[in-house]
Amino acid sequence: MNTDAVHASPLAPEWLAVPDNLNVLQAPMWAAGVEKSDAGEVTIDGIPVSELKEKFGTPLFVMSESDFRSRARAFKDAFDEAFADICGGVDVYYAGKSFLCTAVASWVAEEGLRLDTCSGGELAVAARAGIEGPNLGLHGNNKSDAEINRALDMKLGRIVVDSLDELERVAKIASSRGETAKVMLRLTPGVHAHTHEFIATAHEDQKFGLSMAEDSTEEAGLSAAEEAVAAATSYSSIELLGLHCHIGSQIFEPDGFAVAAQKLLGFLAAMQLKYSIVLPELDLGGGYGIAYTPVDTPRPAAEIAQAMAVVVRSTCAELGITAPRISIEPGRAIVGSTTFTLYEVGTLKTVRVDAPEAESQQGNVTYPRRYVSVDGGMSDNARPVLYDADYSAILASRESSADPQLSRVVGKHCESGDIVVRDVYLPADVAAGDLLAVPGTGAYCWALSSNYNYLARPGVVAVRDGAARLIVRGETEEDLLNRDMGVANV
Ligand code: LLP
């Protein structure tokens, strides 16, 4: 027996435990309906992954439609219930940037949610899916005039304005059309949250939003946020609905949301008083975290909703204001865990790596790291490269009783950084032709996919009631060459 393989590898990160049983699906990372069959194969709604591979090929995004719908509904119901006595419920805008196609847009609408878009292209998907303008929001720090016009054509429920510049542009365009634009102002409250921690600072050094810091404009004492409120109320072509903030992504603890809510409510109250206006809406953005690995511990929507409701209720009471209608914009927390990516294993190799520092003092010790190459990579999941994001993986096409082996799942791109799962224990007998499934790939994977190295972007299959259908087809070689104008044009 290879003893390197059974014990925790010194090369593994501290958080990664050797699983008791490599054949078991670890619950928080997988969609409802994903199970192991008696034969040891991963199935979704009873469909074995080998059948999906046969029919649709790999790599493949495999999404549970029922899981998507129930997560969407869970958010809506949890927030509606928690905020019922505060503002009559919550408007939940699914953040389309996390994953969007017409099928998903239609599920969002059917489950009673609205849709948050951030480009003309996303608006085009929404329109194709038949989503009504009033149920749409438009974000973006650099909206084009065409996008603003499109938003007005579609009679959008809200344009979330990001800067003083843009406010003026929206006002002018709406005025030239003889219309009124419904506007929210995106503020940066100086609260940043990431996973378990948040930090609060007075200033924001980033491209999004209007700063709430009092010295953020030339005019002493007036923040960019206040300047925008004053300007918005002076334009007859602007209907100022309220304020917006988004404090970050993959957040587990509600504290950051609570501090941001307090800050924005305080500002909202001050503006209402100073400018004799009513700001009826407050959007607290998205960012709710999900489990990518066994150590991630996201909270249920109901728990976050309750914690946020407590703060909004008490802050409004302290300020003596009627609570605005609250809205939120979850993306990842709705779609992230609904999907796994199915890959086929190709080349394998094992390298010996120097021991980490503490160990190496005892001599020149090396440990094995096995590279498992799959048929996709950074073109279908850029998150490990972009954000150092961790993922997990399981041998999906069969059971194995082999020992755990520390593995690095890598793609097939011409980049050494092309990593899909940096560290995971997989059975030592994983071989070419096996299928691997990587959970938690519903958000910001397909959405960020590329054709790097002329790889075709994978299709997306939705599974519901035991049937699988393509909701986005995979690209073909013809697609890859479609925009190339050909040698005749050189
Ligand atoms: N609202 C606004 C204004 C946003 O900018 C975002 C995400 C969301 C809502 C949705 O956040 P979520 O609930 O999905 O975390 N590509 C990165 C994340 C970028 C997030 C951009 N904005 C990643 O993959 O981690």
Side-chain angles (χ1 to χ4, degrees):
M1 186 184 356
N2 176 1
T3 48
D4 280 337
V6 253
H7 302 297
S9 166
L11 302 180
E14 236 166 71
W15 59 265
L16 184 68
V18 184
D20 294 335
N21 183 346
L22 289 172
N23 296 298
V24 172
L25 293 161
Q26 287 172 288
M29 301 186 294
W30 297 90
V34 178
E35 287 169 358
K36 275 276 195 153
S37 69
D38 293 343
E41 194 171 349
V42 170
T43 62
I44 173 162
D45 267 19
I47 307 171
V49 287
S50 55
E51 197 176 310
L52 294 173
K53 187 217 152 45
E54 196 66 29
K55 206 161 165 193
F56 304 106
T58 53
L60 184 69
F61 288 101
V62 183
M63 177 182 289
S64 164
E65 176 179 345
S66 15
D67 196 51
F68 183 101
R69 287 177 181 272
S70 70
R71 286 176 201 267
R73 223 175 309 124
F75 254 92
K76 176 76 179 130
D77 290 350
F79 275 80
D80 266 349
E81 195 186 321
F83 283 84
D85 66 324
I86 300 175
C87 53
V90 167
D91 299 316
V92 180
Y93 287 76
Y94 168 67
K97 69 201 75 176
S98 56
F99 177 83
L100 191 64
C101 65
T102 51
V104 160
S106 74
W107 307 341
V108 164
E110 283 164 17
E111 298 305 328
L113 279 69
R114 298 180 181 188
L115 181 64
D116 156 35
T117 66
C118 64
S119 70
E122 288 187 0
L123 282 178
V125 178
R128 176 78 71 86
I131 312 288
E132 307 273 326
N135 290 330
L136 292 168
L138 177 66
H139 266 287
N141 65 303
N142 188 21
K143 301 172 190 77
S144 65
D145 288 0
E147 286 171 326
I148 293 165
N149 273 299
R150 186 172 205 155
L152 292 170
D153 289 344
M154 290 175 71
K155 306 210 176 323
L156 248 59
R158 51 166 70 166
I159 299 175
V160 185
V161 164
D162 212 87
S163 62
L164 285 157
D165 245 25
E166 185 180 87
L167 182 63
E168 194 182 329
R169 234 150 28 85
V170 172
K172 273 194 187 142
I173 293 172
S175 163
S176 72
R177 298 166 57 113
E179 293 172 18
T180 306
K182 292 178 189 296
V183 159
M184 305 274 285
L185 296 175
R186 177 167 178 174
L187 310 189
T188 49
V191 177
H192 302 262
H194 182 69
T195 307
H196 293 291
E197 289 171 40
F198 79 89
I199 50 164
T201 57
H203 289 270
E204 291 281 358
D205 185 9
Q206 57 142 314
K207 71 170 184 171
F208 291 114
L210 293 145
S211 174
M212 294 175 76
E214 299 215 324
D215 56 354
S216 56
T217 57
E218 305 282 309
E219 217 167 311
L222 213 58
S223 65
E226 177 166 353
E227 209 173 286
V229 170
T233 55
S234 74
Y235 292 122
S236 57
S237 59
I238 296 281
E239 180 187 345
L240 183 56
L241 295 177
L243 310 174
H244 173 285
C245 71
H246 171 74
I247 60 166
S249 274
Q250 185 59 359
I251 300 166
F252 290 151
E253 303 300 326
D255 323 18
F257 296 117
V259 171
Q262 275 169 334
K263 256 189 121 165
L264 264 84
L265 285 167
F267 180 79
L268 182 140
M271 293 300 103
Q272 294 194 147
L273 196 64
K274 185 162 173 185
Y275 294 94
S276 305
I277 49 172
V278 176
L279 298 172
E281 295 188 31
L282 175 64
D283 193 304
L284 296 171
Y288 312 97
I290 64 162
Y292 286 108
T293 71
V295 292
D296 290 333
T297 50
R299 292 171 185 245
E303 210 177 297
I304 301 171
Q306 289 297 344
M308 286 167 71
V310 166
V311 171
V312 169
R313 187 184 290 108
S314 64
T315 308
C316 289
E318 273 164 36
L319 293 164
I321 58 168
T322 305
R325 173 82 178 180
I326 299 292
S327 53
I328 55 167
E329 296 170 338
R332 183 191 325 258
I334 291 176
V335 72
S337 302
T338 65
T339 301
F340 63 83
T341 309
L342 191 63
Y343 296 105
E344 186 177 279
V345 173
T347 312
L348 293 115
K349 77 162 187 179
T350 300
V351 296
R352 306 271 331 168
V353 179
D354 287 343
E357 255 169 63
E359 303 267 340
S360 61
Q361 270 134 39
Q362 293 152 23
N364 195 11
V365 190
T366 62
Y367 294 93
R369 187 196 309 287
R370 182 179 51 171
Y371 280 84
V372 178
S373 297
V374 294
D375 51 355
M378 62 192 286
S379 54
D380 59 70
N381 189 354
R383 297 192 68 259
V385 182
L386 279 177
Y387 316 114
D388 268 339
D390 285 311
Y391 280 88
S392 186
I394 193 167
L395 171 59
S397 43
R398 64 182 172 91
E399 199 115 311
S400 168
S401 54
D403 287 333
Q405 167 99 57
L406 183 70
S407 305
R408 178 160 289 174
V409 181
V410 294
K412 60 178 281 153
H413 291 277
C414 297
E415 293 265 343
S416 48
D418 173 27
I419 290 167
V420 179
V421 184
R422 194 174 309 277
D423 298 290
V424 61
Y425 287 100
L426 289 171
D429 64 351
V430 163
D434 279 335
L435 299 178
L436 290 189
V438 174
T441 57
Y444 306 108
C445 291
W446 184 89
L448 281 161
S449 62
S450 77
N451 288 129
Y452 184 38
N453 297 145
Y454 272 80
L455 259 65
R457 282 172 293 188
V460 185
V461 155
V463 178
R464 184 181 176 183
D465 301 332
R469 70 182 197 285
L470 277 176
I471 53 171
V472 183
R473 72 162 171 81
E475 284 175 325
T476 60
E477 204 166 285
E478 202 182 335
D479 291 323
L480 291 176
L481 287 162
N482 238 344
R483 290 180 305 140
D484 186 318
M485 301 307 286
V487 256
N489 286 318
V490 173

